[in-house]
Amino acid sequence: MGIPKFLNIWGTHQFWVGFFQSLGVGRIVFSSDTSEEQYREYGKGRITMDSCFPVKALAGHMGELLHKDINLLFVPMIYSLPSFLKGHVVDTLSCTRVMMSVENIKAGFLREKNEFEERGIAFVSPFVPFAEPELLPKYLWESLKEHIPGLTLEETAKAVKEGFRALEDFERKMREKSLEIIRWCVKNNRPAILVLARPYHMDPGIGHDIDGEFQQYGFPVLWYNYLPLDDWLLEWLFGEEIRAGIIRSYFDISDVWTSSYSSNTNEIIWGAKFSARFPWITGVIRLSSYECGMDQPTFTPVQKIVESSGTLFFKFGELDETKPAGSVKIRVETIVYYLEKYSQDIIKKKLSRLGAVPSQLLV
Amino acid sequence: METKEFHYRAYRPRPFTKEERSKTTILFGGLTWKHERLIQGSLERVGYKSMPLPNIERQDLDIGKEFIDVGACCPTTFTAGNLARTLMTLREREGEEGVKNNYLFVTIGACGPCRFGQYHESYERVLEGLNLTDFRLFLLDLMQMEQSAPGGGLEISMPLTFGLVYSMFYADLITDMEYAIRPYEVVEGSTDRVVKESIELLYEKLKNRPIKGKKIDSLVWHVFTGYFVDALKEVRRLWDEIEVDRLRVKPKVKITGEFWLQTHEGDGNYNIKRWLEKEGAEVIPPPVAVWMDYLINMELFKLEDAKGFVKRYYLKKLAIGTIASLYRMVYNRLRRALNNIPNPLPDQRKLKDLARPYFYYRLTGGEGHMLIGKALYAYLNRQAHMICELSPYGCLPNTMSVGAMAKVLGDYPDLLYAPIEIKGDAEVHAYSRCQMILTEAKRRAKEEFEEVLERTGLTVEDIRNFEEDHPELRRATYKVPHYGYAGTASNYVMHIAKLMGRI
Ligand code: SF4
Ligand code: SF4
């Protein structure tokens, strides 16, 4: 089973591992990280329409897998996502390009001849609505049953549960790790950086390792999607606003964002709110791809949410396939200078607006 | 307390109260002048003062870019710029207080991660940029009829909703007539004149329509009344007067694409429909009504997928199915009043099945699978010689389905397809791309016409002679049936041949 490591696989891969293991699929092969070489060698010429690079890169991932020893190529059309924000937002949809990209890129492999068939690889691309848990097994089963002989709907439903469990386990571990980092910052009174981007910006070919550059300067880097969600922490940050009737829960973003349809966007907005309140996050790095239509309306609100608290905000926009290594280095150096210069003031200022630091942070 | 002041808050319009209704003008826009004029009539009937935004102009794109964040799709930029230009003009005329107190802007939205769902975020940047954050901007969701803006000034009631639906239907039907007739009009300008007269007549009808009940009684009246059909019968008489020459051989070009761009008539899409007509084509414009039909049917398809998981499945299916059929029934009744000249709404199930191998129907956003479904439908049913697909620069969903068309074209190499990217400032490029495909479409239309003449053994002269004895054939409202040819002239020849008893 080959799975391209693209777009929403970055937020859900543990689900797929758990799911296929439960079904007894022998071996899962992921494509490598995105790279210019991968795109050039396997992807170019298959793109039929100009779009953001994260979508175009899928062609490279699929092409690469066609050259691997696999029988089945699994490329899900992920329509909606599991999100920790569910409940106080309108929806948890994927970016329309993310969900539709498969149909687009697939066409590039079928246009002249069926390249999947030619290589003896079955192509499976189920519709995956994570937000409709009762339908999820049905759609997955319908697309997989002819390729996995004897597969029943019940087995698929069980595998979906296993998938969710694996994903939750993974996320819990990541959040614990983030909490550890946060505690280290508190203990040593050191600033941290929060990255606001889409999960696939963790792919070095999409996010160009910008987060890594900061780590080299000794700044711990947190990602918004793995922030700790412990009640005592969120109570400290958001409790007062709930009591004032501004928000209904820790996860309510309606005070700053009224179009909460897209899960990644909602989470980015929530991450911005978190960073604005949490004292030891003194700098936010926003990453965004060239031509990203989902990010576009969020640029000003996110920046304002972050900056209104005095937190430093830096944006690396228009990221594309070419890695602007030199200019990134220079910008990172400048940003680090600002972070070093102002972080302690920012921590103090932000602390003064909150109640006493919860004991759980001081361990 | 400091925390409350210091955090950023989303824009919230201040309330609009019932008492303010008579003094406040509702601004709205986004459709053609025909749709907007009729919406105005519907709004006025239920007590609102209203004013459509001015027609989109090229300058709106530049104005929009100045205010909103970089990277917006072209429709967002155009409409945001249009709003900005309007507010600036009003401010100059009536001062800042005047704009804030005498006007408000309503936009329909809320249906997903792109498109309308986020337009208003960009409009808010406009208000910030103009320092008019006190100006009221409301986002209404027509699919949830109960929603209303704070303050109770804006009420979505049954009579209002149905008024809007009829405005949309009317404008769609007149637009369909317009594009079917203008290329063949004998007296230049007669179609445009009748379009204007028709819209004014319908505006009056909507403005003076009776209000019968508020809830279910209103629904029943609106669905079954003869009032709206009778109005169109009056309109038909205006169209009866236009003389046409259907022997002009023209390629038929079906317009598809992103919702705003395909329905738009103005600089926002380089006025591409008029341009195509000028280049000698007959255009099939897309009705707004198809999109509503799509939304209703998607609910039905989703429900069918969830069979076995939904409580009271059959009851729900019956309910949505009934809405879907009533919707079509009303549209078809209105079409009939215009002698069925306007095109019928495409069968959504067929579109979905046609698109299925290329684009999965549950991938919603933008036109979803419809773009592919419509192109295939038109091709297979010989509705058009060519598809002109309008794709906005920076669009999210549209780019994806346009890309998926690659496989369709591999399977149907004969399908003439012109995807045009609309950037707002690359007019020449767009025209020349379109022109290339159009040349081939013209050739096909001509070939087809010659084939029909040969098949029927008729000459143009024979037909002209026949027309002399049957002047009603040259009436705009004369319905020529479809004989399996894309071109109007070809079908016309077949029809004459049939009338003559030759086939
Ligand atoms: S979120 Fe932005 S970068 Fe990602 S797929 Fe959508 S448009 Fe492209
Ligand atoms: S469908 Fe495309 S053009 Fe229309 S609003 Fe959405 S992104 Fe913009």
Side-chain angles (χ1 to χ4, degrees):
Chain A
M1 166 82 64
I3 305 181
K5 227 160 64 184
F6 79 114
L7 296 166
N8 279 350
I9 296 292
W10 278 89
T12 59
H13 77 287
Q14 287 297 323
F15 173 90
W16 298 114
V17 172
F19 175 78
F20 284 119
Q21 273 172 356
S22 164
L23 290 184
V25 167
R27 202 165 58 93
I28 301 174
V29 182
F30 283 103
S31 52
S32 16
D33 286 343
T34 303
S35 64
E36 242 186 296
E37 296 72 44
Q38 181 199 50
Y39 177 57
R40 220 178 312 123
E41 190 163 344
Y42 303 109
K44 271 220 165 122
R46 311 205 188 267
I47 314 294
T48 47
M49 189 70 201
D50 207 19
S51 142
C52 55
F53 184 60
V55 164
K56 288 199 278 187
L58 171 59
H61 287 273
M62 279 171 53
E64 186 197 295
L65 285 171
L66 287 184
H67 290 81
K68 296 240 160 101
D69 177 23
I70 57 167
N71 317 95
L72 218 87
L73 180 58
F74 183 81
V75 196
M77 303 189 271
I78 302 181
Y79 177 74
S80 53
L81 286 160
S83 168
F84 63 91
L85 289 183
K86 206 156 194 262
H88 277 303
V89 291
V90 184
D91 221 329
T92 56
L93 296 173
S94 302
C95 156
T96 49
R97 271 188 193 159
V98 167
M99 57 171 97
M100 295 171 170
S101 58
V102 185
E103 295 290 51
N104 177 313
I105 303 293
K106 179 183 83 180
F109 287 88
L110 295 174
R111 189 168 28 176
E112 276 149 28
K113 52 182 192 240
N114 188 332
E115 292 191 48
F116 307 117
E117 226 171 65
E118 200 164 73
R119 292 178 183 274
I121 295 171
F123 179 76
V124 185
S125 66
F127 178 77
V128 178
F130 275 111
E132 293 161 75
E134 67 295 345
L135 281 179
L136 187 53
K138 178 184 139 107
Y139 286 127
L140 286 169
W141 176 67
E142 276 170 1
S143 68
L144 282 168
K145 65 184 176 198
E146 35 167 311
H147 306 289
I148 305 181
L151 181 68
T152 64
L153 181 59
E154 290 69 38
E155 276 172 303
T156 318
K158 195 176 135 266
V160 165
K161 280 207 186 92
E162 289 299 319
F164 275 124
R165 187 165 320 142
L167 182 63
E168 277 158 25
D169 278 353
F170 173 77
E171 290 195 343
R172 201 189 47 250
K173 276 187 214 130
M174 297 300 280
R175 293 191 199 285
E176 277 165 11
K177 195 94 208 138
S178 298
L179 185 58
E180 236 174 72
I181 295 171
I182 283 178
R183 281 185 175 136
W184 179 88
C185 291
V186 177
K187 191 167 168 197
N188 300 294
N189 199 30
R190 290 280 301 150
I193 287 172
L194 181 77
V195 180
L196 293 181
R198 303 206 169 243
Y200 41 80
H201 285 107
M202 290 180 185
D203 179 343
I206 306 284
H208 300 314
D209 252 338
I210 294 173
D211 52 337
E213 298 277 338
F214 287 95
Q215 274 168 332
Q216 283 175 17
Y217 286 92
F219 283 96
V221 174
L222 299 160
W223 279 70
Y224 74 98
N225 40 347
Y226 297 126
L227 285 170
L229 304 177
D230 308 67
D231 273 356
W232 54 265
L233 177 64
L234 302 183
E235 174 56 31
W236 184 48
L237 302 176
F238 297 102
E240 197 186 310
E241 284 163 279
I242 294 181
R243 280 182 293 281
I246 298 167
I247 46 174
R248 287 161 298 164
S249 81
Y250 307 136
F251 301 117
D252 188 357
I253 53 170
S254 64
D255 57 329
V256 292
W257 186 249
T258 43
S259 353
S260 56
Y261 292 100
S262 145
S263 53
N264 284 165
T265 303
N266 298 342
E267 290 174 11
I268 287 173
I269 300 278
W270 189 81
K273 284 182 66 176
F274 186 99
S275 74
R277 285 156 184 80
F278 189 75
W280 289 274
I281 293 176
T282 61
V284 166
I285 308 299
R286 178 90 205 255
L287 307 182
S288 180
S289 299
Y290 171 69
E291 251 235 12
C292 178
M294 290 310 291
D295 282 345
Q296 180 271 332
T298 71
F299 288 147
T300 301
V302 166
Q303 181 168 1
K304 284 195 174 173
I305 294 168
V306 174
E307 285 182 343
S308 67
S309 66
T311 310
L312 299 171
F313 178 87
F314 307 97
K315 182 179 149 209
F316 290 78
E318 314 273 299
L319 300 175
D320 207 348
E321 65 240 62
T322 36
K323 183 176 175 175
S327 64
V328 165
K329 272 215 153 38
I330 297 170
R331 273 208 74 197
V332 169
E333 264 172 39
T334 329
I335 294 171
V336 163
Y337 167 80
Y338 279 107
L339 283 167
E340 272 165 0
K341 188 161 173 205
Y342 295 111
S343 283
Q344 289 308 321
D345 285 349
I346 296 171
I347 296 172
K348 263 193 226 123
K349 200 165 129 199
K350 284 166 88 173
L351 267 174
S352 73
R353 294 194 186 106
L354 292 164
V357 178
S359 57
Q360 294 94 324
L361 264 188
L362 299 168
V363 287
Chain B
M1 225 182 325
E2 202 184 6
T3 26
K4 276 172 225 152
E5 313 314 326
F6 120 107
H7 289 301
Y8 166 84
R9 301 270 171 246
Y11 164 86
R12 291 254 179 266
R14 76 198 144 83
F16 171 50
T17 61
K18 271 191 179 151
E19 298 70 55
E20 285 175 282
R21 255 191 219 168
S22 55
K23 297 172 279 180
T24 315
T25 302
I26 298 178
L27 301 172
F28 66 98
L31 293 166
T32 71
W33 68 269
K34 292 160 272 184
H35 291 84
E36 288 166 358
R37 179 70 176 149
L38 297 179
I39 289 175
Q40 206 179 0
S42 293
L43 287 171
E44 283 170 2
R45 176 62 185 95
V46 284
Y48 299 103
K49 280 169 78 178
S50 68
M51 187 175 108
L53 297 185
N55 238 348
I56 294 275
E57 286 173 16
R58 171 67 183 77
Q59 53 164 324
D60 294 329
L61 188 75
D62 299 325
I63 300 176
K65 276 184 196 156
E66 253 176 62
F67 287 99
I68 67 180
D69 282 318
V70 288
C73 60
C74 158
T76 308
T77 320
F78 262 116
T79 51
N82 192 243
L83 175 66
R85 174 159 66 92
T86 312
L87 294 179
M88 288 190 285
T89 318
L90 289 174
R91 182 162 63 183
E92 242 166 63
R93 215 170 62 199
E94 302 181 31
E96 195 146 320
E97 289 307 300
V99 186
K100 286 181 195 166
N101 298 328
N102 304 340
Y103 298 90
L104 56 85
F105 179 68
V106 173
T107 174
I108 295 172
C111 62
C114 89
R115 195 195 276 272
F116 304 137
Q118 295 188 355
Y119 266 26
H120 70 112
E121 299 291 346
S122 295
Y123 297 160
E124 284 166 30
R125 301 284 88 71
V126 168
L127 300 190
E128 275 167 19
L130 288 172
N131 228 339
L132 278 176
T133 44
D134 265 355
F135 178 81
R136 284 165 295 183
L137 182 151
F138 293 113
L139 180 75
L140 288 187
D141 183 354
L142 268 192
M143 293 303 279
Q144 295 169 19
M145 296 195 197
E146 297 308 314
Q147 192 179 334
S148 59
L154 266 180
E155 273 173 327
I156 305 288
S157 62
M158 222 25 120
L160 172 63
T161 304
F162 270 102
L164 296 178
V165 170
Y166 272 104
S167 311
M168 178 177 79
F169 282 179
Y170 273 171
D172 281 348
L173 294 166
I174 299 297
T175 305
D176 247 36
M177 291 288 287
E178 173 189 353
Y179 284 91
I181 304 304
R182 191 169 39 224
Y184 305 100
E185 65 187 9
V186 172
V187 179
E188 212 188 311
S190 50
T191 309
D192 285 352
R193 181 179 47 78
V194 168
V195 168
K196 276 205 195 91
E197 287 169 9
S198 306
I199 293 295
E200 276 317 296
L201 191 153
L202 295 171
Y203 162 81
E204 291 297 332
K205 295 286 176 189
L206 284 164
K207 195 177 159 179
N208 298 309
R209 69 192 193 275
I211 301 277
K212 305 263 179 163
K214 281 201 163 157
K215 291 239 147 77
I216 192 81
D217 37 356
S218 171
L219 186 141
V220 172
W221 182 79
H222 276 100
V223 172
F224 297 104
T225 177
Y227 181 84
F228 298 100
V229 173
D230 291 345
L232 276 184
K233 286 187 183 150
E234 280 183 49
V235 165
R236 179 179 162 174
R237 285 197 278 279
L238 300 172
W239 288 84
D240 276 339
E241 300 306 313
I242 301 179
E243 191 193 347
V244 292
D245 172 10
R246 290 200 176 87
L247 282 180
R248 295 174 188 167
V249 181
K250 287 172 183 287
K252 245 192 198 171
V253 182
K254 187 173 171 67
I255 305 282
T256 64
E258 189 266 344
F259 175 77
W260 185 81
L261 265 194
Q262 58 169 339
T263 46
H264 180 71
E265 293 176 344
D267 288 356
N269 62 9
Y270 308 131
N271 252 309
I272 195 110
K273 294 176 199 161
R274 284 275 179 167
W275 179 83
L276 279 163
E277 278 190 3
K278 234 181 43 231
E279 293 300 310
E282 177 189 339
V283 170
I284 310 178
V288 178
V290 175
W291 198 62
M292 286 281 283
D293 196 30
Y294 163 73
L295 293 183
I296 298 170
N297 278 281
M298 276 308 287
E299 289 303 314
L300 197 62
F301 301 155
K302 267 196 267 178
L303 187 78
E304 287 170 357
D305 276 6
K307 188 179 173 184
F309 303 105
V310 198
K311 276 191 216 124
R312 288 181 290 171
Y313 170 78
Y314 287 101
L315 197 71
K316 284 186 182 152
K317 186 163 171 174
L318 183 72
I320 306 178
T322 309
I323 296 176
S325 346
L326 289 180
Y327 187 84
R328 280 173 168 271
M329 188 198 91
V330 172
Y331 197 78
N332 281 333
R333 274 182 82 198
L334 298 177
R335 280 181 56 234
R336 224 173 299 132
L338 295 170
N339 205 18
N340 287 321
I341 308 267
N343 294 296
L345 295 175
D347 179 340
Q348 287 291 337
R349 213 172 274 276
K350 260 190 208 142
L351 293 188
K352 169 188 133 185
D353 293 342
L354 281 173
R356 181 76 189 238
Y358 310 98
F359 213 80
Y360 193 65
Y361 67 99
R362 282 224 50 200
L363 298 170
T364 48
E367 296 289 301
H369 65 272
M370 272 207 294
L371 218 136
I372 288 173
K374 282 184 195 170
L376 275 174
Y377 188 86
Y379 172 72
L380 296 171
N381 294 296
R382 290 181 173 268
Q383 271 194 335
H385 295 99
M386 155 185 169
I387 310 292
C388 178
E389 215 268 11
L390 305 178
S391 184
Y393 172 72
C395 177
L396 298 160
N398 219 54
T399 35
M400 295 300 104
S401 36
V402 174
M405 273 300 285
K407 167 75 175 132
V408 179
L409 299 175
D411 290 351
Y412 300 92
D414 238 16
L415 196 161
L416 286 186
Y417 174 67
I420 308 293
E421 194 185 41
I422 308 273
K423 271 188 162 168
D425 48 9
E427 203 161 331
V428 178
H429 183 66
Y431 285 163
S432 66
R433 279 207 62 178
C434 206
Q435 187 72 272
M436 256 160 38
I437 315 278
L438 189 64
T439 310
E440 173 60 17
K442 277 184 185 162
R443 200 185 56 76
R444 287 199 195 171
K446 208 164 145 243
E447 257 178 34
E448 179 195 89
F449 184 69
E450 278 156 11
E451 184 197 307
V452 174
L453 287 180
E454 204 179 273
R455 184 172 156 192
T456 55
L458 288 173
T459 63
V460 171
E461 215 185 344
D462 296 337
I463 298 167
R464 292 281 184 229
N465 290 336
F466 190 75
E467 280 179 339
E468 297 236 328
D469 300 332
H470 301 85
E472 73 281 2
L473 287 171
R474 286 173 74 92
R475 244 188 232 157
T477 47
Y478 186 88
K479 172 79 183 169
V480 179
H482 190 249
Y483 291 90
Y485 290 97
T488 297
S490 307
N491 285 315
Y492 185 60
V493 175
M494 287 296 286
H495 187 55
I496 303 285
K498 188 145 191 230
L499 293 178
M500 288 174 149
R502 295 229 183 175
I503 54 163

